[in-house]
Amino acid sequence: MDVGDKSWMDLRRSTDEYIHGVNDFLDKAFERASQGDEILCPCKKCFNCYWHCRNVVEDHLICHGFVHGYTKWVFHGEGFSSRNTPHPTNDDENFDRQDGIDKLLQDTFRNVVDDLRHEGVREGLSEDAKRFFKLVEEGKQELYPGCKNFSKLNFAIPLYLFKCIHKLSNVAFSDLLDLIKEAFPFAQIPKCFYKAKKVIKDLGLHYEKIHACTNDCILFWNDTAKLDKCSVCGSSRWKNVRDDLTNKVTKIPAKVLRYFPLKPRLQRIFMCSETSVAMRWHDTERPKDGNLRHPADGEAWKDFDSLHPDFASDSRNVRLGLSSDGFNPFRTMSISHSTWPVMLMNYNLSPRICMKSEYIMLSMIIPGPSSPGNDIDVYLQPLIAELKELWEVGVETYDIVTNQTFMMRAALLWTISDFPALAMLSGWSTKGKWACPTCNHSTYTQYLKHSHKMCYLGHRAFLPHDHPYRRDKKSFNGKEEHKVAPTPLSDVQVLEELLEFNNVFGKGQKKRK
């Protein structure tokens, strides 16, 4: 099938030219890429995941249109003499699972790899892109000759998920692989747990394990990576675990931070044509009619753009928000345990998708059993270091839409949290006499001696001077309010106040004082 002129794909679907183009596409697709009397449906609903006959595909393309960015018809014979694509079987469970893996591959890898192949730019690719290319090639290899349900890759992924769901140990999982390998010696099955885990890592789902002091004093990271004891409180990096069966003692880390690197995940966004286009939504597709529908319409975003025009000049630069809160992962309130995930939101995307779970990035998991408190800064070090690099230098990123590399930068615009978590993330105490971060030292407080609680009044100071509530004594504290609203601290004032502040991290240190 030749590339030809595909401008008709952007026309209204009711026009004769569009309908003629669909019929021409179907003629060539059924000639080159059919399985029996069916082809993969490239409409926006099926996303090249489901097989249908000609009449159904034609109806879908006229009703829904082609999936966005599908201009090189690699799943329908363009550029290939033949295809060996798995066809659905009567086993619905296997087929649904295969569809999910295939869609993951299509979304993340196949678009970029096919485009790179067609453009002839495979030489000089980054290591990530080469690894993706290898993954896709493995994804097309049959698990064994004649296998239609699984490829080498889409068998390894659900197999690894099976281990996680059923909580198999590494040894048990490796023994299971040995048994399957012995039963099916001709199948391309991972040799051991490490090989299966490496597939997940190559997909970009890996994380770094960073050991931490049990008292939250330091991370054993960078300069302190080789220490066996905390340089602040002297606590051991390890704890001994005894096996009751063998009576063998094993050293394991006392506390482990799981950190998900940010740069490769942001780079991967631009390696799929659909998400790469979505990253420009705030600049190219956002209605600019003065209505508030996205953070880009707000004053904070506009002020940031005016202060940093070099960053704002490229709409692909990433704007992030950070959120964190504690939860009990053990599904019971009888156990006091607080694990803190740190999440990053991508505000380049449209409001329709930027808050969906699949577009929110898990940055790190801070271990329990207790809340890190103000020591959360210790755990945020790897993320802060990476954000600084992304702000000051950037990272070279391949953009599949322009078929060029660019220096992608990122900025953390704000944090989102409840009031107690705000104290941890900002360092401002949200309890006591000066609990309000806006009023700061001008916070009006009153202690209620019978309930032993602090009461915060004085909010009428933020009303206009002639507002009737300012003179209303009965509804409030029995007094009129004539104070002027306090002025929030500027960034310069905050820096001056913290300039000589010596922050001591670690729960062990605080207990000694």
Side-chain angles (χ1 to χ4, degrees):
M1 187 185 296
D2 298 326
V3 175
D5 180 20
K6 298 175 183 173
S7 58
W8 58 269
M9 295 175 66
D10 298 322
L11 299 176
R12 294 182 61 181
R13 297 192 293 275
S14 59
T15 60
D16 292 338
E17 190 174 354
Y18 179 85
I19 296 174
H20 176 75
V22 168
N23 288 322
D24 186 54
F25 162 78
L26 293 173
D27 290 339
K28 295 176 180 176
F30 273 92
E31 178 185 346
R32 302 293 296 275
S34 65
Q35 294 283 347
D37 60 348
E38 294 181 339
I39 62 169
L40 287 170
C41 181
C43 77
K44 291 181 179 178
K45 300 295 183 181
C46 296
F47 209 92
N48 284 319
C49 289
Y50 300 99
W51 294 78
H52 296 299
C53 62
R54 179 173 182 130
N55 292 339
V56 176
V57 176
E58 183 178 1
D59 289 343
H60 283 196
L61 292 178
I62 293 176
C63 293
H64 309 307
F66 283 84
V67 63
H68 182 74
Y70 188 53
T71 56
K72 290 183 174 65
W73 298 329
V74 294
F75 293 101
H76 298 87
E78 183 172 287
F80 299 91
S81 58
S82 63
R83 281 190 57 83
N84 187 15
T85 310
H87 192 274
T89 66
N90 294 328
D91 190 344
D92 293 336
E93 181 181 354
N94 287 343
F95 182 53
D96 290 341
R97 179 170 53 194
Q98 178 187 345
D99 283 347
I101 302 302
D102 282 346
K103 185 171 182 179
L104 173 66
L105 288 172
Q106 290 165 15
D107 289 347
T108 313
F109 308 117
R110 287 186 178 174
N111 289 340
V112 59
V113 172
D114 286 324
D115 279 352
L116 291 175
R117 183 190 286 117
H118 282 290
E119 299 296 337
V121 294
R122 185 171 180 181
E123 295 299 326
L125 295 179
S126 66
E127 291 303 316
D128 275 346
K130 291 178 180 178
R131 193 160 59 246
F132 298 157
F133 198 103
K134 181 181 177 182
L135 273 173
V136 175
E137 294 302 324
E138 289 182 351
K140 295 178 179 179
Q141 297 177 18
E142 295 177 342
L143 184 63
Y144 56 84
C147 178
K148 299 300 182 182
N149 291 333
F150 290 104
S151 68
K152 179 181 177 181
L153 183 59
N154 65 15
F155 178 78
I157 297 173
L159 192 65
Y160 183 82
L161 295 178
F162 177 86
K163 172 199 180 303
C164 300
I165 293 170
H166 296 285
K167 302 177 182 178
L168 295 179
S169 67
N170 296 353
V171 175
F173 185 72
S174 296
D175 290 344
L176 175 63
L177 291 177
D178 289 340
L179 181 63
I180 299 174
K181 192 74 177 175
E182 186 176 348
F184 304 97
F186 44 81
Q188 300 189 53
I189 297 172
K191 295 180 180 179
C192 59
F193 168 72
Y194 171 76
K195 294 292 184 181
K197 188 177 179 180
K198 192 173 185 299
V199 174
I200 302 296
K201 182 176 181 180
D202 288 341
L203 285 170
L205 304 177
H206 70 291
Y207 58 85
E208 297 177 6
K209 290 183 178 180
I210 303 175
H211 298 176
C213 170
T214 187
N215 291 320
D216 302 334
C217 303
I218 63 169
L219 291 180
F220 295 98
W221 176 69
N222 281 357
D223 296 338
T224 58
K226 296 183 179 180
L227 296 180
D228 284 327
K229 289 186 177 181
C230 175
S231 58
V232 178
C233 68
S235 299
S236 175
R237 176 177 182 171
W238 312 97
K239 63 180 180 181
N240 296 326
V241 177
R242 183 182 298 276
D243 190 331
D244 294 333
L245 295 177
T246 62
N247 210 28
K248 183 180 179 181
V249 177
T250 306
K251 287 202 312 183
I252 64 172
K255 215 168 191 178
V256 179
L257 167 71
R258 271 101 177 153
Y259 177 64
F260 297 78
L262 178 60
K263 286 186 291 185
R265 300 169 82 185
L266 294 179
Q267 287 175 307
R268 196 161 293 113
I269 292 175
F270 292 94
M271 300 186 77
C272 174
S273 57
E274 187 170 349
T275 53
S276 180
V277 171
M279 290 294 287
R280 300 170 174 84
W281 184 93
H282 68 94
D283 182 54
T284 59
E285 299 182 43
R286 174 175 58 91
K288 301 176 184 178
D289 52 7
N291 294 325
L292 283 171
R293 56 170 57 85
H294 186 269
D297 298 311
E299 291 299 322
W301 190 294
K302 294 174 182 177
D303 288 344
F304 181 86
D305 284 353
S306 63
L307 291 172
H308 308 285
D310 55 330
F311 184 93
S313 61
D314 193 339
S315 60
R316 295 172 294 186
N317 287 332
V318 186
R319 325 282 182 118
L320 299 170
L322 183 145
S323 181
S324 183
D325 203 357
F327 78 106
N328 187 335
F330 299 108
R331 300 183 181 181
T332 174
M333 299 305 293
S334 62
I335 301 175
S336 178
H337 194 105
S338 183
T339 295
W340 283 69
V342 178
M343 322 293 291
L344 290 172
M345 274 66 68
N346 185 346
Y347 285 102
N348 284 43
L349 304 172
S350 67
R352 184 176 62 86
I353 61 175
C354 71
M355 286 298 171
K356 287 189 175 180
S357 58
E358 53 264 37
Y359 292 98
I360 295 177
M361 294 177 284
L362 177 63
S363 178
M364 63 177 64
I365 301 176
I366 301 174
S370 60
S371 166
N374 288 336
D375 300 325
I376 194 173
D377 289 353
V378 172
Y379 293 98
L380 291 174
Q381 287 180 89
L383 176 61
I384 292 173
E386 205 165 7
L387 286 171
K388 282 184 176 180
E389 183 181 351
L390 284 168
W391 169 253
E392 296 170 357
V393 182
V395 59
E396 189 174 11
T397 303
Y398 173 76
D399 184 1
I400 191 172
V401 173
T402 62
N403 194 27
Q404 294 177 345
T405 59
F406 72 103
M407 292 302 293
M408 177 189 63
R409 296 172 61 196
L412 182 66
L413 297 185
W414 46 64
T415 60
I416 307 168
S417 60
D418 57 15
F419 211 48
L422 174 65
M424 296 170 52
L425 292 171
S426 67
W428 185 279
S429 176
T430 55
K431 53 188 177 181
K433 291 184 64 176
W434 296 335
C436 179
T438 301
C439 298
N440 51 75
H441 299 299
S442 300
T443 303
Y444 183 82
T445 59
Q446 182 177 344
Y447 183 72
L448 305 178
K449 61 180 181 180
H450 295 293
S451 62
H452 305 289
K453 294 184 181 296
M454 196 71 73
C455 179
Y456 303 95
L457 303 172
H459 300 94
R460 288 179 291 167
F462 290 92
L463 296 173
H465 293 292
D466 57 349
H467 199 284
Y469 280 180
R470 281 182 172 267
R471 300 185 299 275
D472 188 349
K473 299 179 182 180
K474 184 178 179 180
S475 302
F476 296 94
N477 60 351
K479 300 178 183 178
E480 292 187 2
E481 182 61 74
H482 298 291
K483 293 179 182 178
V484 179
T487 304
L489 292 175
S490 66
D491 51 355
V492 176
Q493 290 173 316
V494 172
L495 185 61
E496 287 178 352
E497 289 199 9
L498 297 177
L499 198 59
E500 297 181 359
F501 183 79
N502 183 23
N503 199 353
V504 178
F505 293 112
K507 295 178 176 60
Q509 288 295 104
K510 292 167 189 172
K511 288 180 181 177
R512 291 190 180 97
K513 293 190 175 183

